Amino acid sequence: MKLAPLVLAGLVTAASCAAAAQRPERGRDLGIPFEGTTGPLNAITDVAGVAVGHRTLVAGSGKLVVGKGPVRTGVTAIFPRGKDSDDPVFAGWFTLNGNGEMTGTTWVQESGFLWGPVMITNTHSVGVVRDAVIEWVVRRGRLLHDEWSLPVVAETWDGGLNDINGFHVTKQDAWAAMDSARSGPVAEGNVGGGTGMICNQFKGGIGTASRRLDPQDGGYSVGVLVQCNYGRRRSLRIAGVPVGQEVADLVPCRAPCGGPRSGTAAAIPPDVGSIIIVVATDAPLLPHQLTRVARRAALGVGRLGGVASNSSGDIFIAFSTANPHASRDSALAQVSMAANDRITPLFEATVQATEEAIVNAMLAAQTMTGADDLTVYALPHDRLRDVLKRYNRLKP
């Protein structure tokens, strides 16, 4: 098996920005009538201070040889206050269906704080990424204030396209994802932890979107990043249109598709999959309110037809960049809190941004062939537009 070089996909590189400028891959560019007002980037980084980095691993082709490849995986890092800050943020989390993993959430729930980044990778690389975060923190002298570290590391399963049992993600890859974290445009699709993921039986991966509230609602920003790896094709709805039923072909198959070896791979039954959702906001919310926000991400998944199947790991975390230094005040911490009577617009923004981030993940993703020649097709933009137009759901 011939292995290609490992590929690093970061943020705000000349190549990634140029590629983003050339591709009308996002939902709004295609005329999908999403609700709400976006931030300038329509990304989680519209929440000031948030930084995202990716490490993307792509190597090899052909027959799966455990330990050698093919490799289609990676790591994504999300820092609430940027990689140079050690100031925790208020946070809350929620699981819609628990066949998945997000480490560190018991301490998030107990303390009300998220200490460090949120990391996302594949199911069998959670341990190495978790340990890598601790070593990264120690090496940067971040444990001067804290005596322990319980990193938040989440996962979805990429074992259809990737040699998941080959353990190709290393601590150096996790470090690279963290070191590359930047504000600004966020790479989407086949990048980072989303490299080998499948969403509604189309190619999935990383997606992001944001909303900005009206001034009368506080003018706050809400940003969402998803690692999309869930869902049956027949259930997929976009803008209320049964896209999964209208585009029922192009299911995952063994290359050459249409030949005697083609057909849906037994290794990826259609109801198996997961989604990780990270919600960021600059609204002054306390942990119990952020848990409420995290729950609302489930409604964005439901808009697209997701039902949180038995084999799905649907785990969401929300944090607020307001109230800096709240965890560092050794006396009486002075914090602000948005009144519950003003929180509904933040719920609405979370639902809208989650829905759009998932669609953006599928639209940015590109057709990929991986282990044992499994081919997973990208959602075809032209056919999506045609379907939405026939249902009178396409913006002019």
Side-chain angles (χ1 to χ4, degrees), residues 35-85:
E35 299 172 315
T37 302
T38 73
L41 297 170
N42 195 15
I44 193 172
T45 47
D46 282 323
V47 177
V50 175
V52 179
H54 300 299
R55 173 70 164 176
T56 300
L57 304 176
V58 176
S61 61
K63 181 177 174 57
L64 172 64
V65 179
V66 175
K68 295 184 178 180
V71 181
R72 306 284 188 271
T73 195
V75 186
T76 292
I78 305 102
F79 286 88
R81 302 192 194 278
K83 64 186 177 186
D84 295 324
S85 173

Tab-separated table of all heavy atoms in Angstrom, residues 35-85:
chain	number	residue	atom	x	y	z
A	35	GLU	N	-33.212	30.921	8.449
A	35	GLU	CA	-33.752	32.025	9.237
A	35	GLU	C	-32.647	32.683	10.053
A	35	GLU	O	-31.644	32.061	10.376
A	35	GLU	CB	-34.837	31.509	10.184
A	35	GLU	CG	-36.025	30.883	9.483
A	35	GLU	CD	-36.969	30.210	10.456
A	35	GLU	OE1	-36.473	29.490	11.356
A	35	GLU	OE2	-38.184	30.397	10.321
A	36	GLY	N	-32.856	33.948	10.390
A	36	GLY	CA	-31.964	34.643	11.299
A	36	GLY	C	-30.863	35.416	10.605
A	36	GLY	O	-30.585	35.234	9.408
A	37	THR	N	-30.218	36.293	11.376
A	37	THR	CA	-29.138	37.152	10.887
A	37	THR	C	-27.803	36.571	11.326
A	37	THR	O	-27.584	36.322	12.525
A	37	THR	CB	-29.283	38.569	11.451
A	37	THR	OG1	-30.555	39.101	11.068
A	37	THR	CG2	-28.179	39.485	10.933
A	38	THR	N	-26.906	36.353	10.391
A	38	THR	CA	-25.603	35.783	10.714
A	38	THR	C	-24.630	36.860	11.164
A	38	THR	O	-24.832	38.056	10.928
A	38	THR	CB	-24.992	35.051	9.514
A	38	THR	OG1	-24.548	36.020	8.556
A	38	THR	CG2	-25.994	34.105	8.874
A	39	GLY	N	-23.547	36.422	11.797
A	39	GLY	CA	-22.417	37.296	12.024
A	39	GLY	C	-21.623	37.453	10.745
A	39	GLY	O	-21.932	36.837	9.717
A	40	PRO	N	-20.574	38.275	10.756
A	40	PRO	CA	-19.822	38.549	9.520
A	40	PRO	C	-19.188	37.322	8.886
A	40	PRO	O	-19.060	37.249	7.662
A	40	PRO	CB	-18.758	39.568	9.953
A	40	PRO	CG	-18.816	39.658	11.429
A	40	PRO	CD	-20.101	39.091	11.888
A	41	LEU	N	-18.767	36.345	9.675
A	41	LEU	CA	-18.144	35.136	9.140
A	41	LEU	C	-19.117	33.973	9.034
A	41	LEU	O	-18.803	32.961	8.413
A	41	LEU	CB	-16.973	34.712	10.027
A	41	LEU	CG	-15.801	35.687	10.142
A	41	LEU	CD1	-14.836	35.235	11.234
A	41	LEU	CD2	-15.080	35.818	8.808
A	42	ASN	N	-20.279	34.104	9.662
A	42	ASN	CA	-21.221	32.986	9.765
A	42	ASN	C	-20.496	31.743	10.288
A	42	ASN	O	-20.574	30.659	9.728
A	42	ASN	CB	-21.893	32.690	8.425
A	42	ASN	CG	-23.123	31.805	8.567
A	42	ASN	OD1	-23.645	31.630	9.660
A	42	ASN	ND2	-23.574	31.234	7.455
A	43	ALA	N	-19.803	31.941	11.394
A	43	ALA	CA	-18.978	30.881	11.985
A	43	ALA	C	-18.935	31.052	13.494
A	43	ALA	O	-19.233	32.134	14.025
A	43	ALA	CB	-17.559	30.921	11.416
A	44	ILE	N	-18.524	30.002	14.180
A	44	ILE	CA	-18.419	30.059	15.638
A	44	ILE	C	-17.451	31.138	16.080
A	44	ILE	O	-17.566	31.693	17.178
A	44	ILE	CB	-18.013	28.674	16.196
A	44	ILE	CG1	-18.218	28.611	17.716
A	44	ILE	CG2	-16.591	28.308	15.789
A	44	ILE	CD1	-18.030	27.223	18.301
A	45	THR	N	-16.504	31.491	15.233
A	45	THR	CA	-15.531	32.533	15.549
A	45	THR	C	-16.105	33.941	15.465
A	45	THR	O	-15.391	34.909	15.738
A	45	THR	CB	-14.308	32.402	14.627
A	45	THR	OG1	-14.757	32.229	13.278
A	45	THR	CG2	-13.445	31.213	15.015
A	46	ASP	N	-17.387	34.078	15.128
A	46	ASP	CA	-18.044	35.373	15.272
A	46	ASP	C	-18.239	35.742	16.733
A	46	ASP	O	-18.515	36.903	17.049
A	46	ASP	CB	-19.398	35.370	14.548
A	46	ASP	CG	-19.252	35.533	13.050
A	46	ASP	OD1	-18.359	36.284	12.616
A	46	ASP	OD2	-20.030	34.915	12.306
A	47	VAL	N	-18.126	34.780	17.630
A	47	VAL	CA	-18.090	35.060	19.059
A	47	VAL	C	-16.649	35.446	19.394
A	47	VAL	O	-15.733	34.629	19.259
A	47	VAL	CB	-18.544	33.849	19.886
A	47	VAL	CG1	-18.439	34.140	21.375
A	47	VAL	CG2	-19.971	33.458	19.516
A	48	ALA	N	-16.444	36.695	19.776
A	48	ALA	CA	-15.094	37.222	19.959
A	48	ALA	C	-14.297	36.366	20.934
A	48	ALA	O	-14.782	36.003	22.005
A	48	ALA	CB	-15.166	38.664	20.460
A	49	GLY	N	-13.070	36.055	20.524
A	49	GLY	CA	-12.163	35.269	21.340
A	49	GLY	C	-12.094	33.809	20.956
A	49	GLY	O	-11.075	33.154	21.207
A	50	VAL	N	-13.155	33.272	20.351
A	50	VAL	CA	-13.168	31.852	20.003
A	50	VAL	C	-12.170	31.593	18.874
A	50	VAL	O	-12.107	32.338	17.890
A	50	VAL	CB	-14.576	31.396	19.598
A	50	VAL	CG1	-14.552	29.948	19.112
A	50	VAL	CG2	-15.534	31.547	20.771
A	51	ALA	N	-11.400	30.534	19.021
A	51	ALA	CA	-10.411	30.142	18.013
A	51	ALA	C	-10.572	28.665	17.702
A	51	ALA	O	-10.876	27.859	18.592
A	51	ALA	CB	-8.993	30.422	18.506
A	52	VAL	N	-10.369	28.309	16.424
A	52	VAL	CA	-10.533	26.932	15.963
A	52	VAL	C	-9.293	26.505	15.186
A	52	VAL	O	-8.741	27.280	14.403
A	52	VAL	CB	-11.784	26.791	15.063
A	52	VAL	CG1	-11.931	25.346	14.568
A	52	VAL	CG2	-13.034	27.233	15.806
A	53	GLY	N	-8.875	25.273	15.411
A	53	GLY	CA	-7.766	24.704	14.654
A	53	GLY	C	-8.056	23.266	14.265
A	53	GLY	O	-8.824	22.576	14.940
A	54	HIS	N	-7.466	22.817	13.159
A	54	HIS	CA	-7.659	21.454	12.671
A	54	HIS	C	-6.315	20.799	12.386
A	54	HIS	O	-5.354	21.452	11.971
A	54	HIS	CB	-8.436	21.440	11.344
A	54	HIS	CG	-9.788	22.040	11.385
A	54	HIS	ND1	-10.804	21.565	12.180
A	54	HIS	CD2	-10.321	23.090	10.692
A	54	HIS	CE1	-11.899	22.281	11.974
A	54	HIS	NE2	-11.621	23.212	11.085
A	55	ARG	N	-6.285	19.504	12.570
A	55	ARG	CA	-5.206	18.657	12.018
A	55	ARG	C	-5.902	17.562	11.225
A	55	ARG	O	-6.719	16.806	11.768
A	55	ARG	CB	-4.388	18.051	13.150
A	55	ARG	CG	-3.354	17.012	12.687
A	55	ARG	CD	-2.202	17.609	11.915
A	55	ARG	NE	-1.075	16.679	11.824
A	55	ARG	CZ	0.029	16.916	11.132
A	55	ARG	NH1	0.164	18.057	10.488
A	55	ARG	NH2	0.999	16.035	11.090
A	56	THR	N	-5.592	17.480	9.942
A	56	THR	CA	-6.255	16.556	9.024
A	56	THR	C	-5.258	15.501	8.563
A	56	THR	O	-4.162	15.832	8.108
A	56	THR	CB	-6.807	17.328	7.810
A	56	THR	OG1	-7.734	18.301	8.273
A	56	THR	CG2	-7.496	16.399	6.831
A	57	LEU	N	-5.652	14.228	8.685
A	57	LEU	CA	-4.779	13.117	8.312
A	57	LEU	C	-5.415	12.336	7.174
A	57	LEU	O	-6.473	11.723	7.339
A	57	LEU	CB	-4.554	12.194	9.511
A	57	LEU	CG	-3.985	12.851	10.778
A	57	LEU	CD1	-3.918	11.833	11.907
A	57	LEU	CD2	-2.622	13.437	10.512
A	58	VAL	N	-4.772	12.346	6.018
A	58	VAL	CA	-5.236	11.598	4.846
A	58	VAL	C	-4.039	10.877	4.251
A	58	VAL	O	-3.056	11.515	3.860
A	58	VAL	CB	-5.876	12.522	3.791
A	58	VAL	CG1	-6.263	11.728	2.556
A	58	VAL	CG2	-7.097	13.239	4.371
A	59	ALA	N	-4.111	9.541	4.195
A	59	ALA	CA	-3.004	8.777	3.638
A	59	ALA	C	-3.507	7.436	3.122
A	59	ALA	O	-4.404	6.826	3.713
A	59	ALA	CB	-1.923	8.538	4.692
A	60	GLY	N	-2.945	6.995	2.008
A	60	GLY	CA	-3.188	5.651	1.512
A	60	GLY	C	-4.502	5.466	0.789
A	60	GLY	O	-5.366	6.346	0.753
A	61	SER	N	-4.655	4.300	0.189
A	61	SER	CA	-5.873	3.947	-0.533
A	61	SER	C	-5.937	2.420	-0.645
A	61	SER	O	-4.960	1.717	-0.386
A	61	SER	CB	-5.880	4.573	-1.938
A	61	SER	OG	-4.779	4.098	-2.699
A	62	GLY	N	-7.120	1.935	-1.027
A	62	GLY	CA	-7.271	0.508	-1.285
A	62	GLY	C	-7.650	-0.303	-0.068
A	62	GLY	O	-8.350	0.161	0.832
A	63	LYS	N	-7.195	-1.539	-0.031
A	63	LYS	CA	-7.587	-2.500	0.993
A	63	LYS	C	-7.161	-2.030	2.384
A	63	LYS	O	-6.064	-1.533	2.581
A	63	LYS	CB	-6.964	-3.866	0.700
A	63	LYS	CG	-7.333	-4.961	1.720
A	63	LYS	CD	-6.749	-6.284	1.317
A	63	LYS	CE	-6.996	-7.345	2.401
A	63	LYS	NZ	-8.436	-7.504	2.704
A	64	LEU	N	-8.066	-2.207	3.353
A	64	LEU	CA	-7.761	-1.870	4.730
A	64	LEU	C	-6.733	-2.837	5.305
A	64	LEU	O	-6.922	-4.056	5.275
A	64	LEU	CB	-9.037	-1.922	5.579
A	64	LEU	CG	-8.851	-1.767	7.091
A	64	LEU	CD1	-8.298	-0.385	7.429
A	64	LEU	CD2	-10.159	-2.018	7.817
A	65	VAL	N	-5.649	-2.293	5.815
A	65	VAL	CA	-4.649	-3.053	6.558
A	65	VAL	C	-4.503	-2.354	7.900
A	65	VAL	O	-3.967	-1.244	7.969
A	65	VAL	CB	-3.296	-3.109	5.824
A	65	VAL	CG1	-2.282	-3.892	6.654
A	65	VAL	CG2	-3.455	-3.723	4.441
A	66	VAL	N	-5.012	-2.973	8.954
A	66	VAL	CA	-5.043	-2.325	10.256
A	66	VAL	C	-3.628	-1.943	10.689
A	66	VAL	O	-2.712	-2.759	10.662
A	66	VAL	CB	-5.704	-3.243	11.302
A	66	VAL	CG1	-5.619	-2.621	12.693
A	66	VAL	CG2	-7.154	-3.506	10.935
A	67	GLY	N	-3.491	-0.693	11.033
A	67	GLY	CA	-2.196	-0.170	11.436
A	67	GLY	C	-1.462	0.545	10.328
A	67	GLY	O	-0.522	1.289	10.592
A	68	LYS	N	-1.892	0.307	9.075
A	68	LYS	CA	-1.239	0.950	7.933
A	68	LYS	C	-2.173	1.895	7.181
A	68	LYS	O	-1.723	2.842	6.547
A	68	LYS	CB	-0.695	-0.109	6.981
A	68	LYS	CG	0.429	-0.955	7.584
A	68	LYS	CD	1.009	-1.924	6.558
A	68	LYS	CE	2.163	-2.716	7.148
A	68	LYS	NZ	2.753	-3.666	6.156
A	69	GLY	N	-3.468	1.636	7.210
A	69	GLY	CA	-4.385	2.522	6.519
A	69	GLY	C	-5.339	1.784	5.610
A	69	GLY	O	-5.439	0.559	5.669
A	70	PRO	N	-6.050	2.529	4.783
A	70	PRO	CA	-6.021	3.966	4.571
A	70	PRO	C	-6.439	4.788	5.804
A	70	PRO	O	-7.213	4.334	6.636
A	70	PRO	CB	-7.019	4.187	3.424
A	70	PRO	CG	-7.068	2.867	2.721
A	70	PRO	CD	-6.945	1.850	3.806
A	71	VAL	N	-5.908	6.008	5.850
A	71	VAL	CA	-6.153	6.923	6.967
A	71	VAL	C	-7.017	8.080	6.480
A	71	VAL	O	-6.679	8.733	5.489
A	71	VAL	CB	-4.826	7.457	7.535
A	71	VAL	CG1	-5.080	8.390	8.705
A	71	VAL	CG2	-3.917	6.305	7.939
A	72	ARG	N	-8.120	8.312	7.179
A	72	ARG	CA	-9.017	9.432	6.873
A	72	ARG	C	-9.565	9.933	8.213
A	72	ARG	O	-10.661	9.593	8.624
A	72	ARG	CB	-10.184	8.996	5.978
A	72	ARG	CG	-9.799	8.282	4.681
A	72	ARG	CD	-9.273	9.263	3.650
A	72	ARG	NE	-9.086	8.611	2.346
A	72	ARG	CZ	-7.986	8.003	1.954
A	72	ARG	NH1	-6.941	7.927	2.777
A	72	ARG	NH2	-7.908	7.456	0.755
A	73	THR	N	-8.793	10.740	8.914
A	73	THR	CA	-9.203	11.137	10.262
A	73	THR	C	-8.521	12.442	10.652
A	73	THR	O	-7.892	13.096	9.812
A	73	THR	CB	-8.906	10.006	11.269
A	73	THR	OG1	-9.602	10.258	12.479
A	73	THR	CG2	-7.413	9.824	11.517
A	74	GLY	N	-8.625	12.824	11.922
A	74	GLY	CA	-7.979	14.057	12.364
A	74	GLY	C	-8.465	14.521	13.714
A	74	GLY	O	-9.117	13.790	14.461
A	75	VAL	N	-8.141	15.778	14.023
A	75	VAL	CA	-8.466	16.390	15.313
A	75	VAL	C	-8.884	17.833	15.066
A	75	VAL	O	-8.292	18.536	14.247
A	75	VAL	CB	-7.260	16.381	16.280
A	75	VAL	CG1	-7.667	16.887	17.660
A	75	VAL	CG2	-6.634	15.005	16.371
A	76	THR	N	-9.898	18.283	15.813
A	76	THR	CA	-10.326	19.678	15.789
A	76	THR	C	-10.280	20.226	17.206
A	76	THR	O	-10.651	19.530	18.162
A	76	THR	CB	-11.741	19.809	15.209
A	76	THR	OG1	-11.703	19.469	13.818
A	76	THR	CG2	-12.286	21.220	15.362
A	77	ALA	N	-9.820	21.470	17.345
A	77	ALA	CA	-9.714	22.126	18.647
A	77	ALA	C	-10.500	23.427	18.628
A	77	ALA	O	-10.391	24.209	17.685
A	77	ALA	CB	-8.247	22.414	18.976
A	78	ILE	N	-11.295	23.663	19.682
A	78	ILE	CA	-12.059	24.902	19.831
A	78	ILE	C	-11.702	25.528	21.172
A	78	ILE	O	-11.956	24.936	22.229
A	78	ILE	CB	-13.586	24.655	19.758
A	78	ILE	CG1	-13.962	23.922	18.480
A	78	ILE	CG2	-14.342	25.969	19.873
A	78	ILE	CD1	-14.228	22.449	18.677
A	79	PHE	N	-11.102	26.703	21.139
A	79	PHE	CA	-10.730	27.428	22.352
A	79	PHE	C	-11.724	28.554	22.595
A	79	PHE	O	-11.880	29.448	21.749
A	79	PHE	CB	-9.331	28.032	22.220
A	79	PHE	CG	-8.205	27.045	22.318
A	79	PHE	CD1	-7.732	26.384	21.191
A	79	PHE	CD2	-7.599	26.786	23.541
A	79	PHE	CE1	-6.682	25.492	21.279
A	79	PHE	CE2	-6.539	25.886	23.635
A	79	PHE	CZ	-6.079	25.234	22.502
A	80	PRO	N	-12.361	28.608	23.765
A	80	PRO	CA	-13.331	29.676	24.038
A	80	PRO	C	-12.724	31.072	24.074
A	80	PRO	O	-13.332	32.029	23.598
A	80	PRO	CB	-13.900	29.283	25.401
A	80	PRO	CG	-13.734	27.804	25.470
A	80	PRO	CD	-12.430	27.537	24.779
A	81	ARG	N	-11.537	31.199	24.655
A	81	ARG	CA	-10.896	32.515	24.761
A	81	ARG	C	-9.551	32.552	24.033
A	81	ARG	O	-8.683	33.358	24.361
A	81	ARG	CB	-10.669	32.883	26.226
A	81	ARG	CG	-11.917	32.915	27.102
A	81	ARG	CD	-11.608	33.566	28.437
A	81	ARG	NE	-12.642	33.355	29.425
A	81	ARG	CZ	-13.767	34.076	29.523
A	81	ARG	NH1	-13.986	35.054	28.664
A	81	ARG	NH2	-14.646	33.818	30.476
A	82	GLY	N	-9.360	31.714	23.066
A	82	GLY	CA	-8.095	31.655	22.360
A	82	GLY	C	-7.105	30.758	23.073
A	82	GLY	O	-7.218	30.494	24.270
A	83	LYS	N	-6.122	30.297	22.333
A	83	LYS	CA	-5.195	29.291	22.869
A	83	LYS	C	-4.233	29.856	23.902
A	83	LYS	O	-3.571	29.100	24.611
A	83	LYS	CB	-4.411	28.651	21.727
A	83	LYS	CG	-3.500	29.618	20.978
A	83	LYS	CD	-2.873	28.956	19.777
A	83	LYS	CE	-2.015	29.949	18.988
A	83	LYS	NZ	-1.511	29.362	17.733
A	84	ASP	N	-4.128	31.191	24.004
A	84	ASP	CA	-3.189	31.774	24.953
A	84	ASP	C	-3.824	32.111	26.296
A	84	ASP	O	-3.151	32.626	27.186
A	84	ASP	CB	-2.556	33.038	24.353
A	84	ASP	CG	-1.697	32.731	23.144
A	84	ASP	OD1	-1.039	31.673	23.156
A	84	ASP	OD2	-1.699	33.531	22.194
A	85	SER	N	-5.118	31.829	26.438
A	85	SER	CA	-5.818	32.137	27.681
A	85	SER	C	-5.987	30.879	28.531
A	85	SER	O	-6.266	29.800	28.007
A	85	SER	CB	-7.202	32.738	27.388
A	85	SER	OG	-7.941	32.899	28.580
